[in-house]
Amino acid sequence: MPKSKKIFVCDNCGNTSVKWEGKCAYCNEWNTFVEKEIKEETKQEKRKKVWKKEDDRFTKTPKRISEITIGKTIRIVSTDSELNRVLGGGVVPGSLILIGGQPGIGKSTLLLQTALRMEKKVLYVTGEESEEQIKMRANRLEDNQNNAFIYVENNVDSILKQCSELKPDLIIVDSIQVIYSPHIDSTPGSVSQVRECTTDILKFAKETNIPVFIVGHITKEGSIAGPKVLEHIVDVVVQFEGDRNYNFRILRTLKNRYGSTEELGIYEMTSTGLRPVENPSELLLSQNDENFSGSSVAATIEGLRPMLIETQALVSTAIYGTPQRSATGFDLRRLNMILAILEKRAGLFFGQKDVFLNIAGGLKVIDPAIDLSIIASLVSSLNDISIPKNTCFAGEISLTGEIRAVKNIEARIKEAARLGFEKIFISENNTKGLNTDMFNIKIQSLKKIDELISYFQNI
Ligand code: TYD
Ligand code: MG
């Protein structure tokens, strides 16, 4: 007989302890330890060689990998091209997809509009909003509402029962943190509830082959709330990001068992829902024709998608003692590093200057290829020389002042040429093996930072 043993488990983070504790040492929450009984196999039992016996539990046998045939998976393709792209070409039947994001970013809007636009039967389960609220949102989205069903419920058993009766082609659960399983005592949103409900939904999805979208909230630190196991259980994890003060939203894949994680979906929040953006560069570049100093264009890449983004810098004389440094959409420490490189390697002094940097459109760019454009904007603002509108930049700066090669240079050049740019500055190392005649754009290679500075003297 298995012997039972008592342990204490923190309801908030899953930490275990042999004795009860008032405060969890791991997550610092109070009164979260609950007693659990675990069955432990006795030593004799462990020692029994169960595999020696005839046992009908062992019906599955190992197969040669070459003997396994793949059935044709027909993905459910939604009308939303960006969502299809992020999921690797559509929704795989029986898959579990987790969508995380900050409150108010548009998760419910995205999923509701997907539900409304599907030609297949979709069940939208919500534990957060009322039927009327959903109906009001659906009216706002102005889509066909015939195939979408709404079900307001928090109990996972009731949800799965209705799902098996209605037999939809797609299920959406908004959100996992408000769903609870009646078989567990803890409150909805706690680690054990989230884990239990997700496992129930997973079993349902795999047995019925119905794909399920799960909405997950995000913690202050930016990770999906609940146990990390949640991300291990599901097949796909996508994150919806963006600055709520701007209209741009990015749907990014963090994990995908059925496709690449390099893909990225871009949306614009409008008064009638989220609009997929096919050509982000056209929206991210400023529309006016006037030339201002301090502004330049970077040929960046997000995932696999090239995007041309405007970077703006303002360098002005500091009137207060300590000069200010401020960066929006860019790492402030990296800006400080670039300023130090400009001082040391190019003799440009920003010590007595306030420096403000802004990436247009509210985007956060981590692609190092933006460095060159940032330097161009800084130098342009410092010297009050404007950069011609038809010029763009792609290169990373090293501490020695050299311009380093960046990945996917061809995609960047092609995008710049497509948008009508006439000149692109890139690292000399990137030109190796590059057929420069192939592109309808002048490619100017740079080795060191001084070459860019001397370019400014000739504008
Ligand atoms: P919501 O989708 O509820 O976000 P989440 O589920 O991630 O918390 O809300 C998104 C925000 O978008 C909300 O503040 C209202 C706004 N919105 C629009 O701008 N246009 C629209 O068509 C809709 C439906 C919402
Ligand atoms: Mg919501």
Side-chain angles (χ1 to χ4, degrees):
M1 268 297 286
K3 208 171 66 179
S4 71
K5 187 182 155 191
K6 290 208 168 100
I7 59 158
F8 294 87
V9 181
C10 169
D11 212 12
N12 188 48
C13 70
N15 183 23
T16 54
S17 163
V18 284
K19 61 178 197 327
W20 188 85
E21 280 173 36
K23 185 184 176 192
C24 173
Y26 191 73
C27 66
N28 291 333
E29 286 292 319
W30 287 90
N31 278 335
T32 50
F33 274 90
V34 284
E35 192 174 327
K36 283 233 169 85
E37 215 170 273
I38 50 163
K39 297 258 190 300
E40 209 186 43
E41 283 179 290
T42 57
K43 278 197 179 136
Q44 282 110 338
E45 252 176 311
K46 267 189 197 158
R47 227 180 279 146
K48 264 193 228 161
K49 304 263 189 313
V50 275
W51 46 269
K52 275 194 172 171
K53 290 197 296 183
E54 291 288 315
D55 194 330
D56 56 0
R57 270 184 300 168
F58 310 119
T59 48
K60 281 189 187 163
T61 50
K63 266 188 198 166
R64 242 181 252 281
I65 200 156
S66 57
E67 287 166 11
I68 300 171
T69 51
I70 306 170
K72 199 163 181 266
T73 358
I74 301 162
R75 291 185 187 239
I76 302 172
V77 181
S78 72
T79 48
D80 184 339
S81 56
E82 298 294 298
L83 185 66
N84 293 337
R85 182 205 299 265
V86 168
L87 297 177
V91 184
V92 174
S95 61
L96 200 56
I97 302 155
L98 177 67
I99 294 200
Q102 286 181 339
I105 203 80
K107 302 178 293 295
S108 306
T109 308
L110 176 71
L111 292 177
L112 185 65
Q113 81 178 39
T114 309
L116 297 176
R117 289 178 193 170
M118 278 260 176
E119 281 176 6
K120 300 189 176 248
K121 202 198 288 179
V122 184
L123 176 64
Y124 184 100
V125 181
T126 176
E128 295 191 344
E129 287 163 297
S130 68
E131 284 169 8
E132 289 82 26
Q133 276 175 305
I134 303 279
K135 176 73 186 170
M136 268 153 57
R137 182 176 293 154
N139 285 346
R140 218 173 146 181
L141 299 173
E142 298 168 352
D143 284 304
N144 161 40
Q145 304 178 359
N146 268 343
N147 290 326
F149 290 77
I150 302 295
Y151 181 42
V152 180
E153 181 57 68
N154 297 73
N155 183 331
V156 72
D157 285 351
S158 319
I159 293 170
L160 295 180
K161 183 163 187 303
Q162 291 301 329
C163 289
S164 64
E165 276 170 22
L166 187 71
K167 294 194 177 59
D169 297 299
L170 180 75
I171 301 167
I172 293 162
V173 178
D174 189 1
S175 69
I176 193 70
Q177 274 86 8
V178 296
I179 308 290
Y180 73 94
S181 165
H183 312 294
I184 290 188
D185 287 337
S186 48
T187 49
S190 64
V191 173
S192 36
Q193 280 288 5
V194 169
R195 190 190 301 160
E196 182 75 12
C197 294
T198 316
T199 321
D200 284 352
I201 296 172
L202 178 80
K203 273 188 211 141
F204 179 85
K206 298 295 168 202
E207 269 167 36
T208 56
N209 226 10
I210 304 174
V212 186
F213 277 98
I214 299 177
V215 174
H217 289 180
I218 240 169
T219 61
K220 262 185 269 153
E221 293 79 36
S223 58
I224 291 167
K228 199 74 188 158
V229 287
L230 194 60
E231 289 176 49
H232 292 297
I233 298 173
V234 299
D235 300 307
V236 183
V237 181
V238 288
Q239 186 144 319
F240 209 28
E241 344 171 306
D243 190 329
R244 268 194 290 161
N245 301 323
Y246 291 89
N247 290 337
F248 274 106
R249 301 286 182 271
I250 289 183
L251 195 61
R252 202 186 288 277
T253 334
L254 302 183
K255 163 183 173 177
N256 192 351
R257 287 191 178 142
Y258 314 109
S260 152
T261 50
E262 294 261 298
E263 288 294 358
L264 180 100
I266 302 165
Y267 293 91
E268 189 189 0
M269 183 61 102
T270 67
S271 57
T272 53
L274 288 154
R275 187 180 71 81
V277 179
E278 297 275 341
N279 291 317
S281 310
E282 281 158 23
L283 281 162
L284 289 168
L285 295 176
S286 84
Q287 308 293 321
N288 65 47
D289 293 327
E290 251 180 286
N291 259 359
F292 292 105
S293 68
S295 151
S296 75
V297 175
T300 65
I301 285 215
E302 275 282 348
L304 288 177
R305 296 179 75 172
M307 270 195 255
L308 272 81
I309 300 181
E310 192 181 332
T311 62
Q312 297 167 342
L314 184 70
V315 179
S316 62
T317 308
I319 41 170
Y320 301 110
T322 322
Q324 293 186 61
R325 303 274 184 262
S326 148
T328 315
F330 188 71
D331 183 8
L332 186 60
R333 278 173 305 175
R334 195 157 178 95
L335 171 65
N336 284 329
M337 187 198 85
I338 289 176
L339 293 175
I341 296 171
L342 284 176
E343 184 171 326
K344 189 89 178 167
R345 309 286 174 201
L348 298 174
F349 292 97
F350 290 87
Q352 298 300 314
K353 305 280 184 189
D354 285 340
V355 178
F356 304 96
L357 187 76
N358 187 17
I359 309 290
L363 288 184
K364 284 196 177 54
V365 182
I366 40 171
D367 177 12
I370 200 171
D371 287 356
L372 204 54
S373 167
I374 285 175
I375 293 171
S377 298
L378 289 168
V379 178
S380 157
S381 181
L382 180 73
N383 298 334
D384 210 9
I385 302 172
S386 55
I387 300 166
K389 272 245 163 267
N390 55 16
T391 307
C392 62
F393 302 84
E396 183 185 347
I397 183 88
S398 75
L399 290 180
T400 53
E402 278 156 316
I403 312 294
R404 293 165 70 165
V406 292
K407 65 169 192 177
N408 287 357
I409 194 70
E410 287 185 16
R412 297 174 201 260
I413 300 174
K414 263 191 210 145
E415 178 74 357
R418 191 181 70 79
L419 290 166
F421 281 83
E422 287 165 18
K423 193 176 201 179
I424 182 166
F425 283 88
I426 63 171
S427 157
E428 195 185 62
N429 292 335
N430 262 142
T431 55
K432 286 174 194 153
L434 190 75
N435 182 2
T436 44
D437 301 332
M438 209 173 83
F439 308 100
N440 189 16
I441 184 170
K442 186 170 184 320
I443 297 170
Q444 180 100 37
S445 67
L446 298 173
K447 209 168 174 193
K448 285 197 156 182
I449 183 83
D450 345 350
E451 293 169 30
L452 183 68
I453 310 297
S454 46
Y455 158 72
F456 275 94
Q457 282 150 9
N458 302 324
I459 291 180

